[in-house]
Amino acid sequence: MNTLLNQNFHTKIPLLASKLISSLAVFEKSPTFLAKHEQNLTTPFDPFQFFNENRNSTQCTIRNTKVIHTHLLKSAALQSNIFAANSLLHWYCKSAAMVDALKLFDTLPQPNVFSWNIVILGYNQNDLFEDSWRIFCRMHSLGFELNEITCGIVLSACTALQAPMLGTHVYSLSMKNGFFSNGYIRAGMIDLFAKHCNFKDALRVFHDVSCENVVCWNAIISGAVRNGENSVALGLFRQMCCGPFQPNSFTFSSILTACAALEELDIGKGVQGWVIKCGAGDVFVGTAIVDLYAKCGEMEEAVKEFSQMPSRNVVSWTTVISGFVQKDDSTSALKFFKYMRELEVEINKYTVTSVLTACAKRAMIEEAIQIHSWILKTGYYLDAAVGAALINMYSKIGALYLSELVFKEVGNIKNLGTCAAMISAFTQNQNFRGAIEMFQRMLQESVRPDKFCTSSLLSIIGCLYLGRQIHCYTLKTSLVSDVSVGCSLFTMYSKCGSLEQSYKVFEQILEKDNVSWASMIAGFAEHGCSDQAIQLFREMLLEEIIPDQMTLTATLTACSALCSIRKGKELHGYALRFGVGKDIVVGGALVGMYSKCGSLELASRVFDMLPEKDQVVWSSLVSGYAQNGYIEKALMLFCDMLMADFTIDCFTVSSVLGAVALLNRSGIGTQLHAYITKLGLDSDVSVGSSLMTMYSKSGSLGDCRKAFDHIENPDLIGWTTMIVSYAQHGKGAEALSVYELMRKEGIKPDSVTFVGVLSACSHNGLVEEAYIHLNSMAKDYGIEPGYRHYACMVDLLGRSGRLKEAEQFINNMPVKPDALVWGTLLAACKVHGDIELGKLAAKKVMELEPCDAGVYVSLSNICADMGQWEDVLKIRSLMKGTGVTKEPGWSFV
């Protein structure tokens, strides 16, 4: 047919050949294909030969195409030769002159399917996908029969338009026309579903018909990787290898990416060996291999592979830099970046953002400013992603004011990325007001905060009223269905104490991930609902969700609170079953759980079995020994920790100080205090409180007060410890003075604080002041007095000799007096020799605690002091009759 068309074309334009050749001579940079025509000007111009020879020519400019178009119009060849018309149409599309291409197309008397395909493909190649779809719809409505190429091209347009429904219609048409086995069409549909719909639909398309080409395998494997289904990708790759199809470089790069994401280094090495054997290595496969080693933490091997690559691109360089950033080796990352610049290698925004991440450390403020200056000089400052990375870098350095300055200079309030980075910067630096104001500004400017903005804001909200407003916004914008937003929402409710509402939000999340389960379990555990936490873990297992390290750690915390060693052992079994029993995070939680359950032997065994130990694991065991009374072991383990050169944190130090306080060895305590001061931990409130307790127990109130004064921001525990320390040592006036200072600082006292205050009043004989403070508990702070507070009042009245008033006070108590209250009155009766009231108090104590030997002894001593020896004998015989024995006294001296 083409031969006939060419013959017809030759008969009509023999006289125009020389004119066409002379016009062609004006082509830019005279192409090589003109030489043949210039050698023989009498040879008629053959469009078939011309377009075939210049199919891949780089001379497809608008000017050149219009020159050819002009001569073909003069020859009237376009009306009779469809090949010439389609070729010219193709040249217009290649030169991006789609307006001219469409005009030409509309003039064709009888366009064929290839004409339509050329125009549709042209629009695709020029990113005019909506026009591509419009032309396809026009073609279909006019009744033109589609072919496989048409469907494949249009599916690419649907993918770019993120229109899976349109793609489904095209796929249905292709099925109807019998193209269901075409690999090009199926690969396009798999790609569409994998990018913009459910990956399960992509798998369904893949399995509809047995796959007979490597393109479909590549499409489904790369789709699995893109959707994070890396294990599925490995499974598909194994199936592919069992069939007749050999993987190519595209397959290898995808599967190496999956291995990198799963950190499956051994499998990745096997794939690398296959690449070497097949000789399928190119720059993309080489980069994927470098990425594999980098993601698995093998940076030395990654650099080796990088250096052996015959050719590298910007992605290869960026991969190495990102690998060093991931390993927290900022120095090497910056060295590579410097080397990259010296070689004048192309740098893109991803390279720049990786380098900015490397500089996001307080110790690298100078390097950060230098990189910032370079960005200003090179113009990357205008890129929104780079601007967001700069904001994030300064935020992590702690220079929030610089983050705000960057946002003012480059941050367009209309740009969602920079706004999200700024909200994140405010939240990281605990600037609640700034985050709220930024969120409000976005709403005022009609910029809809996305899931990242909303999750960041929810992370610092501690006000239930405001949290509910944000919840309403997530419902209105449908963000509540996002798992990260849902997780942030129920965490916010949990933090605000609304555990019931937190669980409601959790239940409404359709697809819960491990983070969601772990957060909800941790919420229950933190609010004293450990039983519900463990029940939730059981529900998670029933949902066939495999628990990860976070979930197991949260559930182990609940077991620790319940002191349930049986449930803890069950969880230990789960951890071993799922291969995380020796994980450092889970191991630390197991050590902590066994320690709190009093099983120090098991805690020690888990500790010894861990291949790697961090400071959390060490601290957990040190704390376990200290809290269970194994003081010497706690101190020895702490020394081992120091010898191993582990960083000592506040939790570890507090535990050891508690052990030293129990041991009552001030020399060790003084040495430890010196070491703490050297580390700069003495300003921490938990460490300071532990130091105060240690010095208080050894009677060194001066050192106790110095430790208190060194605390940067004393909290309620710190203030209370100081008050109680003064009170216990008879320094009532000092204790009350500290209490008044605490109130001026705006710190609200708790029940323990009032025990110290009432005890101070007792030591100073301040009866009226004690009554004022007792009444203030419920009136000013909503704290109902407990037995210890009432015992302090009885002790105060007893010390003051007002025994009858003390008895009346006990009888008027709103709660039934316990043995502590009556025992306090009994001690006062002994001091003042009131035998009758003493007998009454002793009787009450014996009724409540019949086995308390101290009561019998106290009553016996009162009678002895009054010379009533017969009563002394009666009390002694009563003790023998009830089987109560007094423990012999002993002393360290």
Side-chain angles (χ1 to χ4, degrees):
M1 183 67 184
N2 282 331
T3 306
L4 292 173
L5 285 171
N6 287 335
Q7 288 175 354
N8 188 31
F9 186 69
H10 284 296
T11 59
K12 290 189 178 182
I13 58 166
L15 300 177
L16 294 173
S18 60
K19 291 183 180 181
L20 178 59
I21 293 169
S22 63
S23 297
L24 290 175
V26 303
F27 272 33
E28 301 165 2
K29 299 180 183 178
S30 184
T32 55
F33 60 74
L34 292 179
K36 296 178 181 178
H37 297 286
E38 289 172 351
Q39 288 172 2
N40 187 6
L41 297 179
T42 60
T43 305
F45 175 70
D46 185 346
F48 181 79
Q49 181 183 354
F50 174 80
F51 284 120
N52 263 339
E53 288 179 357
N54 300 289
R55 185 177 302 167
N56 299 317
S57 172
T58 59
Q59 301 299 320
C60 293
T61 64
I62 296 176
R63 180 186 174 190
N64 294 344
T65 307
K66 285 188 175 181
V67 169
I68 298 172
H69 190 178
T70 301
H71 288 283
L72 289 175
L73 282 172
K74 289 179 180 180
S75 67
L78 290 177
Q79 303 299 318
S80 58
N81 191 325
I82 191 65
F83 170 77
N86 285 345
S87 298
L88 182 62
L89 194 61
H90 175 62
W91 272 50
Y92 270 124
C93 292
K94 280 186 73 177
S95 61
M98 291 310 300
V99 174
D100 295 310
L102 187 60
K103 285 179 181 178
L104 172 62
F105 177 78
D106 289 337
T107 62
L108 298 181
Q110 292 184 335
N112 59 14
V113 67
F114 300 107
S115 311
W116 289 96
N117 287 350
I118 289 168
V119 176
I120 295 170
L121 180 62
Y123 278 121
N124 270 16
Q125 290 172 340
N126 289 281
D127 297 334
L128 301 170
F129 302 107
E130 291 183 1
D131 292 314
S132 177
W133 176 255
R134 178 174 52 81
I135 295 295
F136 169 74
C137 292
R138 177 179 160 191
M139 176 186 182
H140 184 58
S141 64
L142 291 174
F144 277 89
E145 201 168 309
L146 317 175
N147 64 10
E148 293 97 328
I149 297 173
T150 316
C151 295
I153 297 169
V154 177
L155 280 173
S156 298
C158 294
T159 303
L161 290 170
Q162 302 182 18
M165 289 302 297
L166 298 181
T168 305
H169 292 317
V170 176
Y171 188 61
S172 300
L173 281 172
S174 65
M175 297 280 282
K176 183 180 178 182
N177 284 280
F179 307 145
F180 55 86
S181 61
N182 183 277
Y184 179 47
I185 294 173
R186 289 181 62 214
M189 199 63 207
I190 290 167
D191 189 50
L192 172 61
F193 277 140
K195 283 181 178 176
H196 305 299
C197 202
N198 194 329
F199 178 68
K200 291 180 181 178
D201 291 333
L203 273 175
R204 181 174 51 78
V205 172
F206 176 75
H207 290 302
D208 275 347
V209 183
S210 59
C211 187
E212 296 181 359
N213 62 61
V214 74
V215 178
C216 288
W217 284 102
N218 285 346
I220 193 66
I221 290 171
S222 66
V225 174
R226 187 182 296 111
N227 284 271
E229 300 285 352
N230 297 293
S231 299
V232 176
L234 288 177
L236 289 165
F237 179 69
R238 292 188 185 99
Q239 291 178 36
M240 179 184 181
C241 295
C242 294
F245 304 104
Q246 287 294 315
N248 57 21
S249 59
F250 189 89
T251 324
F252 286 131
S253 60
S254 294
I255 209 65
L256 284 165
T257 303
C259 292
L262 294 171
E263 296 185 15
E264 289 283 1
L265 185 58
D266 291 337
I267 298 175
K269 284 181 177 179
V271 175
Q272 183 187 2
W274 199 347
V275 169
I276 296 169
K277 184 179 179 181
C278 298
D282 57 19
V283 67
F284 303 106
V285 175
T287 301
I289 291 171
V290 172
D291 185 52
L292 168 70
Y293 284 111
K295 290 257 176 59
C296 294
E298 300 287 338
M299 282 311 300
E300 187 175 341
E301 197 65 33
V303 172
K304 179 183 175 183
E305 292 295 331
F306 174 81
S307 63
Q308 292 175 354
M309 289 176 67
S311 61
R312 311 179 190 99
N313 59 14
V314 63
V315 181
S316 315
W317 284 89
T318 304
T319 300
V320 176
I321 292 171
S322 299
F324 280 122
V325 173
Q326 183 182 315
K327 284 283 286 184
D328 201 26
D329 187 354
S330 299
T331 304
S332 298
L334 291 176
K335 282 181 179 177
F336 250 82
F337 179 65
K338 182 182 178 183
Y339 186 38
M340 189 178 181
R341 288 179 57 206
E342 288 172 353
L343 293 177
E344 296 183 352
V345 179
E346 177 197 356
I347 295 171
N348 62 18
K349 64 180 181 181
Y350 302 106
T351 319
V352 178
T353 53
S354 296
V355 172
L356 288 172
T357 305
C359 294
K361 294 179 179 178
R362 292 181 184 273
M364 302 193 72
I365 182 69
E366 290 185 11
E367 289 84 352
I369 292 172
Q370 288 175 11
I371 296 294
H372 190 172
S373 301
W374 175 82
I375 289 170
L376 285 168
K377 183 179 177 181
T378 52
Y380 283 106
Y381 207 78
L382 301 174
D383 189 276
V386 173
L390 275 168
I391 292 168
N392 185 56
M393 177 190 71
Y394 283 127
S395 168
K396 289 186 177 178
I397 288 174
L400 182 61
Y401 70 98
L402 289 176
S403 292
E404 293 182 85
L405 186 62
V406 170
F407 181 77
K408 287 177 183 177
E409 291 180 356
V410 302
N412 182 356
I413 192 66
K414 297 284 187 182
N415 185 277
L416 192 58
T418 52
C419 288
M422 200 63 238
I423 288 178
S424 177
F426 282 127
T427 56
Q428 285 172 8
N429 289 273
Q430 297 299 307
N431 190 325
F432 177 76
R433 182 182 294 276
I436 291 292
E437 288 177 354
M438 177 59 66
F439 196 85
Q440 289 173 334
R441 279 185 64 191
M442 291 177 71
L443 295 174
Q444 289 165 2
E445 295 289 336
S446 300
V447 179
R448 182 170 137 178
D450 63 358
K451 60 183 181 181
F452 302 107
C453 300
T454 310
S455 299
S456 294
L457 184 62
L458 285 167
S459 68
I460 61 167
I461 288 179
C463 171
L464 195 57
Y465 175 73
L466 183 58
R468 283 174 175 160
Q469 287 184 311
I470 303 297
H471 190 178
C472 291
Y473 171 78
T474 63
L475 289 167
K476 183 179 178 181
T477 55
S478 300
L479 284 173
V480 72
S481 60
D482 181 81
V483 65
S484 63
V485 174
C487 185
S488 298
L489 264 174
F490 72 70
T491 303
M492 179 273 298
Y493 279 118
S494 174
K495 190 166 59 177
C496 292
S498 183
L499 204 59
E500 185 179 349
Q501 185 64 43
S502 175
Y503 187 60
K504 282 182 181 178
V505 175
F506 172 78
E507 286 184 310
Q508 290 169 3
I509 298 175
L510 297 178
E511 294 185 9
K512 305 176 183 70
D513 58 5
N514 268 297
V515 177
S516 306
W517 288 97
S519 299
M520 193 66 244
I521 290 169
F524 276 130
E526 287 169 7
H527 287 81
C529 303
S530 298
D531 287 321
Q532 289 93 320
I534 293 171
Q535 179 59 36
L536 196 62
F537 179 76
R538 292 194 181 101
E539 291 176 17
M540 178 183 176
L541 296 178
L542 291 173
E543 294 282 340
E544 296 184 353
I545 297 174
I546 298 175
D548 63 358
Q549 292 94 323
M550 288 189 300
T551 321
L552 286 167
T553 302
T555 315
L556 283 166
T557 303
C559 291
S560 300
L562 290 172
C563 291
S564 175
I565 194 168
R566 184 180 64 82
K567 292 175 181 175
K569 285 181 177 179
E570 289 177 8
L571 285 169
H572 194 173
Y574 275 116
L576 293 171
R577 178 183 174 187
F578 293 118
V580 292
K582 293 184 179 181
D583 178 82
I584 194 166
V585 177
V586 177
L590 282 167
V591 170
M593 181 273 297
Y594 283 126
S595 297
K596 288 182 180 177
C597 292
S599 182
L600 270 301
E601 184 181 350
L602 288 174
S604 180
R605 283 173 61 185
V606 172
F607 178 84
D608 293 335
M609 284 166 47
L610 291 175
E612 292 183 13
K613 302 174 182 68
D614 62 1
Q615 64 184 61
V616 177
V617 178
W618 283 88
S619 298
S620 296
L621 192 56
V622 169
S623 176
Y625 279 133
Q627 290 171 0
N628 286 277
Y630 296 93
I631 311 302
E632 296 287 351
K633 284 189 175 182
L635 290 173
M636 287 177 64
L637 191 63
F638 178 72
C639 291
D640 291 341
M641 189 176 179
L642 292 177
M643 294 294 292
D645 201 27
F646 274 95
T647 304
I648 306 300
D649 60 6
C650 299
F651 176 73
T652 315
V653 169
S654 298
S655 300
V656 175
L657 285 170
V660 172
L662 292 172
L663 200 60
N664 198 20
R665 292 173 65 176
S666 58
I668 297 176
T670 304
Q671 292 178 36
L672 193 56
H673 190 177
Y675 179 71
I676 291 167
T677 304
K678 183 181 177 181
L679 293 176
L681 297 177
D682 55 338
S683 60
D684 181 82
V685 65
S686 61
V687 175
S689 298
S690 299
L691 279 169
M692 290 158 61
T693 302
M694 180 191 71
Y695 283 124
S696 175
K697 288 191 175 181
S698 64
S700 303
L701 282 182
D703 291 326
C704 181
R705 182 57 191 256
K706 286 179 183 177
F708 175 76
D709 291 337
H710 274 90
I711 298 175
E712 191 170 342
N713 291 306
D715 61 358
L716 176 61
I717 297 173
W719 286 99
T720 301
T721 303
M722 194 67 249
I723 292 168
V724 171
S725 297
Y726 274 133
Q728 286 175 343
H729 290 83
K731 304 286 185 179
E734 289 85 346
L736 294 175
S737 175
V738 172
Y739 175 67
E740 289 304 321
L741 284 173
M742 171 184 160
R743 291 180 62 191
K744 288 178 182 178
E745 290 290 329
I747 307 291
K748 291 184 178 181
D750 64 358
S751 60
V752 181
T753 313
F754 277 108
V755 170
V757 170
L758 293 173
S759 179
C761 292
S762 177
H763 285 291
N764 273 29
L766 304 173
V767 178
E768 300 305 323
E769 287 82 350
Y771 274 117
I772 291 171
H773 288 303
L774 185 69
N775 295 329
S776 173
M777 288 179 64
K779 181 180 177 182
D780 298 331
Y781 301 104
I783 303 170
E784 291 298 326
Y787 289 113
R788 293 182 66 189
H789 305 102
Y790 291 125
C792 286
M793 288 300 299
V794 172
D795 181 57
L796 171 58
L797 295 170
R799 285 173 184 266
S800 303
R802 298 156 72 165
L803 297 179
K804 291 297 180 183
E805 186 178 342
E807 182 186 6
Q808 186 179 1
F809 177 85
I810 293 172
N811 292 329
N812 292 331
M813 280 172 54
V815 293
K816 184 179 178 181
D818 67 347
L820 174 64
V821 175
W822 285 113
T824 305
L825 180 61
L826 175 61
C829 291
K830 179 181 181 300
V831 173
H832 295 284
D834 192 333
I835 189 169
E836 295 302 323
L837 187 56
K839 286 182 178 179
L840 174 64
K843 180 182 177 183
K844 294 290 185 181
V845 177
M846 291 175 187
E847 290 174 358
L848 293 167
E849 292 184 4
C851 296
D852 188 352
V855 179
Y856 294 94
V857 173
S858 295
L859 185 58
S860 173
N861 289 340
I862 293 173
C863 294
D865 290 342
M866 300 300 294
Q868 298 180 0
W869 297 106
E870 292 183 4
D871 291 335
V872 172
L873 292 173
K874 287 179 181 179
I875 293 167
R876 296 287 182 180
S877 62
L878 182 62
M879 280 182 69
K880 290 180 181 178
T882 54
V884 178
T885 56
K886 178 182 178 298
E887 185 179 346
W890 56 278
S891 173
F892 279 114
V893 181

